[in-house]
Amino acid sequence: MIAAQRSDAGISLVSPLAPSSGPAATGSENGPFAEQNLQWNQITADLLRLRQLEDDWDGQGASAPAPDNVEGALEWVRLMRSFTQAIPPSQVVPGVTGEVLLVWQRESFFLEAEICQPGRVEWMLAVTGLPTKHWVTDSPCFVGSVC
């Protein structure tokens, strides 16, 4: 399995996750996890804004994000932010057929989780110098039995 590394923190997308009782879990905005908490807060706010989009939000006939897809993404964010090793997505993007995309874009990798229906997530991982990987999970989790 490919383990994309976050070079500034030595974090792997597939490293073991353990719940934290530190700042990331409590929502504290002080200490070493302050920036990470701000990123999680921004992702949550972006997802909440997706709820307000209506059909044709892009002026070209796009469907509004399906409420179940937005809720699935919010549930995933609530769970993952309790793990200090979890990397917050870089951005949230509405799809054009009701899906919600969580995107991680870093210098050495690009990861996309497309929440396209309740209980189904389509993943794509591109790591510099390696073939692109695609897989599907029955929940937003892709790291074993965490979820």
Side-chain angles (χ1 to χ4, degrees):
M1 176 173 258
I2 298 170
Q5 294 287 344
R6 182 176 174 187
S7 60
D8 58 326
I11 295 173
S12 168
L13 289 174
V14 294
S15 67
L17 297 177
S20 170
S21 59
T26 63
S28 169
E29 296 301 327
N30 298 315
F33 299 107
E35 183 176 335
Q36 187 170 339
N37 278 320
L38 290 174
Q39 292 170 345
W40 283 118
N41 290 343
Q42 183 63 53
I43 292 300
T44 299
D46 291 347
L47 284 167
L48 292 172
R49 277 193 288 281
L50 289 187
R51 289 178 170 171
Q52 299 171 7
L53 292 178
E54 298 178 0
D55 284 341
D56 197 29
W57 59 266
D58 67 347
Q60 297 190 23
S63 298
D68 288 345
N69 293 340
V70 176
E71 289 307 313
L74 282 165
E75 180 181 323
W76 183 87
V77 166
R78 283 189 286 271
L79 174 67
M80 293 310 290
R81 77 181 295 164
S82 69
F83 299 99
T84 56
Q85 302 93 329
I87 301 170
S90 307
Q91 62 180 324
V92 172
V93 180
V96 296
T97 59
E99 67 275 19
V100 173
L101 295 98
L102 301 173
V103 178
W104 293 256
Q105 189 167 0
R106 301 293 196 268
E107 186 175 318
S108 62
F109 72 90
F110 176 88
L111 176 67
E112 179 180 274
E114 180 179 325
I115 301 168
C116 48
Q117 58 183 277
R120 179 182 170 94
V121 181
E122 297 180 15
W123 295 89
M124 181 190 67
L125 174 64
V127 177
T128 303
L130 297 173
T132 299
K133 300 288 184 182
H134 298 269
W135 69 99
V136 176
T137 60
D138 294 331
S139 75
C141 292
F142 65 98
V143 287
S145 62
V146 173
C147 298

